[in-house]
Amino acid sequence: MSITDVNTAFAAEKAAQIESVGAPERALQARIDRGEVRMIGTDTYEVLTGWDQGETFTVSRNTEGQIQQILANHGLDEQADGTAALYASSPAWHGLGQIIPGGTTDIDEVLRLSGLDFEVTTVPALYEWQGETREHADQRHTVRADTGAALGAVGSRYTPIQNRAGFVFLQELVSRYDVVWESAGLLRGGKRVFVSIRLPETVTVDAEGINDIVVPYIAVMNDHSGNGQFQCVVTPWRPVCANTERFAVRDAVTRWAVRHTAGATSQIKEVRRTLGLSSHYFEQFAAEETALVRTDIAIADFHQVIADLWPLEEDSSKRKQTNHSARLDALDEVFATETARVGRTAYAAERAITGYLDHLTPRRPPQSMTEEIARATAVLEGADDEIKSKAHRRLLQLRTR
C-alpha cells in the first residue's frame, strides 16, 4: 500500500508549478488571478481550491527577491524529516501528515507514521546553587528518549505511560470489528499525543423524522507533561457540519482517566473493559437527542438559554457588551440555518450552540499554531465539553414546560 506524504507533496506541487514557468512571479500571480490562491500576508498565501483548500504556504525568497522555496504552514509538530507528525485515514487536518488511503489496522504503522513511536523516560531534576549542581529529590523531568527533549516536571513517583502501551489496548477493538485507526498525532513537541478510532455503527437521531446521522468515535489522549492524565473519551461527531457533540447524558459514562503511576497499565486494561459501556452512552445519546428534535422552541427561549450560558451583568463594560452582541448575532445566524434544516426545535438550538463553539468562537492560538489547528486541538481536548453539557441539560428542561 503506497504512502503519500501530503505535506511534502503540497510543497512540491507549488514548487513544480512555479519552476515550470520562466517567471515565478507571473506564475504565482496567475494562480491568484484564477482564484486558486490569495495573499493573506507578506509572502503568505492561502489555497482556495483543490484537496489542500484552506492550507497556507509561505514563499521564501533569495537575496535577489526571487522565489526560492515554498513552505507549508500548519502548526502541527514535525518529525525529523520535516513531515507533519500526524497519521490520518483520510485527508484531515487540511490534508497534512502521512495519508494511507483506506486506513490501516497495524498499530506499529500508525505509531511510526504519526511520530508516536518514541518512549518517555524520567531524569533527575537538577539545579545550580552557588556554583554547585544539586538534585531535587522529590521531582523529576520527563524527556523524550529519542531526542532528549524536555516534556515536563513531575513527582518522584510518576511513571510514564508509554505511547504503545497506552494505545495498544485499542488494537483489540480494531481487530474485533471491521474498523481502522482514524487518526493519530502529537502536539506541543510530544507533551500531548492522541489516537482515535471510528466505531463500526452510526447513531441515528429521530430515525422516523429528520434521520440525522451521528458517527461515534473513541479518542485516547496521553499526556507526558505532568499536567494531565491518560484519558479515553467517547466522541459523537455529526458529519453534516463537522460538529463534535461530546457532552454528558444521563446515567452514561463518556470519559475515563488514569493517572501516571506504576499500576497504570492494569488500570488501562480496566478501561478497555468499560469501553463496552459506550454502546449504552450512544443509546442514551440518541434518545435524548430525539427528545430535543420533538421539542419546539421559540426564539425567546433560545436567547434565554444563551443568556444562561453566557450571562451578561448589567454593569458590564462596553467591550463585553459588544462581544456579547456579536456572539448573539453569530448564534442567531447558525440557529436560522439549523432551523431551516430540522425545524425550530431544541435540537436545532443545540446544533447552533455546538456549531458556534466548534467553528466560530474566537480562539487565540499559541505562537506555533494556526487558528484552525488551535480550533481542532480545542475540540480534541474537549475545551468546551462543560458548556456543551450545560446547554444540553438546559434544553432538555424545555420538554417539561
Side-chain angles (χ1 to χ4, degrees):
M1 183 178 294
S2 62
I3 300 173
T4 302
D5 179 358
V6 178
N7 197 33
T8 301
F10 169 67
E13 177 190 4
K14 305 300 180 297
Q17 290 170 343
I18 293 174
E19 182 65 23
S20 65
V21 181
E25 300 297 338
R26 289 198 300 272
L28 182 58
Q29 186 60 48
R31 297 206 68 202
I32 296 175
D33 294 341
R34 291 195 299 269
E36 297 174 2
V37 299
R38 69 183 179 97
M39 179 179 285
I40 58 175
T42 303
D43 284 334
T44 303
Y45 301 85
E46 178 184 13
V47 181
L48 302 177
T49 62
W51 58 265
D52 52 354
Q53 181 178 357
E55 182 60 272
T56 62
F57 65 93
T58 300
V59 174
S60 174
R61 301 179 184 274
N62 59 24
T63 55
E64 286 76 32
Q66 299 171 331
I67 294 177
Q68 188 175 32
Q69 190 176 14
I70 306 297
L71 304 172
N73 304 326
H74 44 72
L76 291 171
D77 288 349
E78 291 187 348
Q79 302 189 70
D81 61 1
T83 59
L86 173 74
Y87 156 79
S89 64
S90 60
W93 294 73
H94 297 288
L96 294 169
Q98 313 283 350
I99 307 301
I100 301 180
T104 180
T105 58
D106 185 353
I107 185 175
D108 292 316
E109 192 170 17
V110 171
L111 294 176
R112 179 178 61 83
L113 292 175
S114 62
L116 300 184
D117 56 345
F118 66 88
E119 291 194 345
V120 175
T121 187
T122 62
V123 298
L126 305 177
Y127 63 96
E128 294 289 332
W129 178 255
Q130 297 182 350
E132 178 186 1
T133 300
R134 297 186 178 184
E135 179 180 346
H136 187 172
D138 296 329
Q139 192 175 66
R140 296 181 68 81
H141 290 160
T142 52
V143 299
R144 289 183 56 158
D146 57 342
T147 64
L151 301 176
V154 298
S156 59
R157 296 184 179 180
Y158 182 96
T159 301
I161 298 176
Q162 303 299 341
N163 293 336
R164 196 180 194 288
F167 297 146
V168 72
F169 79 96
L170 283 176
Q171 184 73 53
E172 180 179 325
L173 294 179
V174 172
S175 302
R176 182 184 304 173
Y177 303 107
D178 186 21
V179 298
V180 297
W181 300 92
E182 184 69 20
S183 62
L186 60 137
L187 300 164
R188 306 182 186 96
K191 293 180 180 180
R192 174 65 63 92
V193 299
F194 67 91
V195 299
S196 71
I197 64 171
R198 174 176 172 171
L199 297 181
E201 297 180 0
T202 58
V203 178
T204 303
V205 176
D206 190 28
E208 298 178 356
I210 63 172
N211 194 38
D212 222 6
I213 302 300
V214 176
V215 180
Y217 288 85
I218 291 177
V220 181
M221 291 164 282
N222 196 9
D223 184 279
H224 296 304
S225 70
N227 296 319
Q229 298 175 308
F230 177 93
Q231 297 185 66
C232 183
V233 183
V234 173
T235 300
W237 185 68
R238 193 162 62 98
V240 69
C241 60
N243 284 358
T244 302
E245 312 289 356
R246 190 166 59 228
F247 43 74
V249 300
R250 178 169 47 86
D251 301 328
V253 178
T254 181
R255 182 185 295 267
W256 304 269
V258 176
R259 296 178 59 189
H260 288 251
T261 63
T265 303
S266 61
Q267 293 181 54
I268 290 175
K269 293 179 180 179
E270 181 66 12
V271 170
R272 177 177 59 186
R273 186 187 67 81
T274 60
L275 281 175
L277 298 176
S278 62
S279 60
H280 175 63
Y281 172 84
F282 285 110
E283 289 174 3
Q284 188 64 36
F285 174 90
E288 293 188 8
E289 292 295 274
T290 299
L292 294 182
V293 170
R294 298 171 184 175
T295 301
D296 294 332
I297 185 174
I299 190 67
D301 294 324
F302 179 55
H303 285 174
Q304 184 56 58
V305 172
I306 294 173
D308 293 342
L309 296 175
W310 292 281
L312 181 67
E313 303 296 334
E314 293 183 1
D315 59 347
S316 295
S317 65
K318 183 66 175 179
R319 181 179 180 181
K320 287 185 177 181
Q321 293 179 31
T322 300
N323 291 341
H324 182 82
S325 178
R327 181 191 298 115
L328 183 60
D329 289 344
L331 282 162
D332 277 345
E333 185 175 347
V334 183
F335 182 52
T337 300
E338 291 295 337
T339 295
R341 191 180 70 87
V342 298
R344 182 168 287 184
T345 64
Y347 185 73
E350 187 173 67
R351 303 288 69 70
I353 292 169
T354 56
Y356 171 79
L357 291 169
D358 283 356
H359 306 293
L360 300 176
T361 187
R363 300 285 181 194
R364 292 185 179 180
Q367 188 175 1
S368 61
M369 287 186 180
T370 64
E371 183 175 356
E372 284 301 316
I373 297 301
R375 194 176 299 282
T377 301
V379 169
L380 173 73
E381 297 180 341
D384 298 314
D385 285 3
E386 184 175 348
I387 195 169
K388 288 180 181 180
S389 293
K390 184 176 180 180
H392 181 74
R393 293 191 300 269
R394 179 67 178 81
L395 289 166
L396 281 175
Q397 293 174 0
L398 297 178
R399 296 179 304 167
T400 61
R401 296 185 313 170

